Amino acid sequence: MELQNNKTIAEIRAGLREQIVTVEPVDFEPLALRVFRFQAEYNPVYKEYIRHLGVDPTRITALTEIPFLPIQFFKNHRVATGHSSDAHVVFQSSGTTGQATSHHHLYDEPLYKAISYRIFQHTYGDLNHFHILALLPSYLERNNSSLVYMMQHFIEESESEYSGFYLNNAGEMLHRLHHLAENPDGKGVLLLGVTFALLDLAESSFDLSFLQKIEHFTVMDTGGMKGRRTELLREEVHDMLTASFGVPVIHSEYGMTELLSQGYSQGNGLFNPGHSMRILLRDINDPFAVSDHNLGSSKTGGINVVDLANLDTCSFIETQDLGRFGEKPGTFYVMGRFDNSDIRGCNLMVI
């Protein structure tokens, strides 16, 4: 892509950024195609990947034609568009000992905060209408988690003295929840936690019956056993949590180190992606056969994510998650993950 009307890379980026913050569904695909052409030219790793595939970026006219970068590239390369130096914030995924982890460079903190706030606000309302209690032990044990970074922002925006993080101090957290149950102030209460920590709390000796007294109480599962417990089906986990916490459904968040946008489920595992995010599915046996919701599909496929908030890295990510579309356009279910033996296609990890 030649510089448009002699604009600098920074000027082109600024124009795209302005549109991404306020993008609406009707404008999503045209904007995504402009972001693609920008990244296909100014992201060295993505540009080389596209070249190896033999794809001409100027001939791409639809989201389903765009090459999606395998998520493993974030483990072995610095994926960046128009930036030659490291960012001040570098998110890192969790991993077992000896396992390579992903690194995602954040060059525009205000953009990440604005996007994540807008997505939450659209789904749940203003953050200052909530007390937010984050039970994230495995994430708090390291200082480079994108989830902790986002929740720190949410906690600050909630402007609540009862909002905060909890590592292993479940007793203190329950004390705060008990106070909120006895002294309702009209605000919602959001208990957000990693899966194994929520299960540990549900199976603890603490009396949790008082939680049913809390008005507007939401329990949100962020996923992740991280080797702490035996893997369970989502339905099994949520059945256990609804019984213990006295709520009708368990909410969920879909996000990962390599993405800056989120999707939220308000129950039964059905996710709605944020304004800056769209889900496509690829055929399990052919990673280049991609469909969007408009084409209709009841089959399970690999999840490809278009995340416009990844303006400075790569907005077109081929994940290792399996999913299927919901009945409502744009919605999706997460069905599990590929085993390593199931990953097919040309990853070109030597680029």
Side-chain angles (χ1 to χ4, degrees):
M1 179 180 75
E2 297 182 1
L3 289 179
Q4 303 167 6
N5 300 321
N6 296 319
K7 289 183 179 179
T8 66
I9 295 175
E11 289 173 329
I12 298 172
R13 180 198 176 279
L16 293 172
R17 183 192 191 279
E18 182 179 359
Q19 296 174 68
I20 289 168
V21 172
T22 59
V23 66
E24 296 294 340
V26 67
D27 303 315
F28 187 95
E29 183 160 356
L31 179 55
L33 288 169
R34 291 197 291 275
V35 171
F36 163 70
R37 295 187 183 101
F38 175 64
Q39 294 182 340
E41 180 64 26
Y42 299 113
N43 183 316
V45 170
Y46 190 42
K47 182 177 184 177
E48 187 67 5
Y49 178 68
I50 293 171
R51 187 185 71 79
H52 273 268
L53 295 179
V55 172
D56 179 356
T58 65
R59 302 177 72 88
I60 299 295
T61 60
L63 288 184
T64 53
E65 298 172 359
I66 291 175
F68 284 77
L69 187 73
I71 201 167
Q72 299 97 312
F73 272 83
F74 284 85
K75 294 183 178 181
N76 301 283
H77 302 78
R78 185 174 66 83
V79 180
T81 299
H83 294 274
S84 59
S85 60
D86 285 346
H88 291 295
V89 178
V90 181
F91 297 136
Q92 184 176 357
S93 65
S94 59
T96 58
T97 302
Q99 183 183 57
T101 57
S102 293
H103 292 78
H104 192 177
H105 292 66
L106 180 66
Y107 294 93
D108 190 341
E109 297 176 67
L111 176 63
Y112 181 34
K113 291 178 178 179
I115 291 291
S116 58
Y117 190 114
R118 186 187 185 209
I119 294 171
F120 184 93
Q121 182 184 53
H122 177 77
T123 308
Y124 294 102
D126 290 337
L127 282 161
N128 60 10
H129 294 169
F130 286 88
H131 304 290
I132 300 175
L133 296 89
L135 185 61
L136 303 170
S138 62
Y139 294 88
L140 290 171
E141 290 163 359
R142 50 196 179 88
N143 60 4
N144 50 9
S145 162
S146 58
L147 177 59
V148 169
Y149 183 94
M150 182 179 77
M151 292 312 301
Q152 179 64 53
H153 175 54
F154 283 8
I155 287 169
E156 292 170 356
E157 292 294 326
S158 73
E159 300 177 343
S160 166
E161 63 180 303
Y162 300 104
S163 294
F165 287 104
Y166 297 89
L167 181 59
N168 297 310
N169 48 343
E172 179 185 345
M173 184 187 72
L174 291 174
H175 178 74
R176 289 195 180 188
L177 286 171
H178 196 278
H179 177 85
L180 293 171
E182 297 297 329
N183 301 277
D185 58 5
K187 286 190 173 185
V189 177
L190 171 60
L191 171 59
L192 177 145
V194 64
T195 305
F196 76 82
L198 290 175
L199 285 172
D200 287 348
L201 180 60
E203 296 173 352
S204 70
S205 58
F206 291 110
D207 179 8
L208 304 178
S209 60
F210 74 90
L211 295 174
Q212 299 180 37
K213 299 178 183 179
I214 300 178
E215 296 183 74
H216 314 299
F217 183 43
T218 300
V219 178
M220 183 178 293
D221 171 24
T222 68
M225 291 295 192
K226 306 300 180 187
R228 303 291 184 98
R229 299 176 60 116
T230 303
E231 295 286 344
L232 299 172
L233 295 175
R234 177 191 60 80
E235 292 82 359
E236 295 177 299
V237 171
H238 287 194
D239 284 347
M240 296 168 66
L241 296 181
T242 53
S244 295
F245 295 124
V247 291
V249 296
I250 301 298
H251 294 231
S252 301
E253 183 250 3
Y254 182 76
M256 58 191 71
T257 300
E258 300 84 359
L259 303 178
L260 297 182
S261 296
Q262 302 78 42
Y264 289 105
S265 166
Q266 294 181 283
N268 303 312
L270 179 64
F271 286 91
N272 282 280
H275 294 80
S276 52
M277 184 183 196
R278 185 166 295 181
I279 302 299
L280 290 82
L281 296 181
R282 66 185 184 276
D283 187 277
I284 291 175
N285 297 302
D286 181 0
F288 303 112
V290 178
S291 63
D292 65 15
H293 199 286
N294 295 328
L295 298 179
S297 174
S298 60
K299 295 181 179 179
T300 297
I303 292 179
N304 284 4
V305 181
V306 180
D307 183 1
L308 301 182
N310 276 15
L311 177 62
D312 295 308
T313 55
C314 183
S315 292
F316 310 95
I317 305 299
E318 177 190 292
T319 79
Q320 292 180 296
D321 292 332
L322 291 165
R324 64 179 177 86
F325 293 125
E327 293 184 5
K328 180 182 176 182
T331 61
F332 66 102
Y333 295 93
V334 180
M335 311 303 294
R337 290 176 62 82
F338 280 94
D339 293 327
N340 289 335
S341 59
D342 291 334
I343 299 172
R344 299 178 174 86
C346 178
N347 285 338
L348 300 177
M349 296 302 295
V350 297
I351 290 176

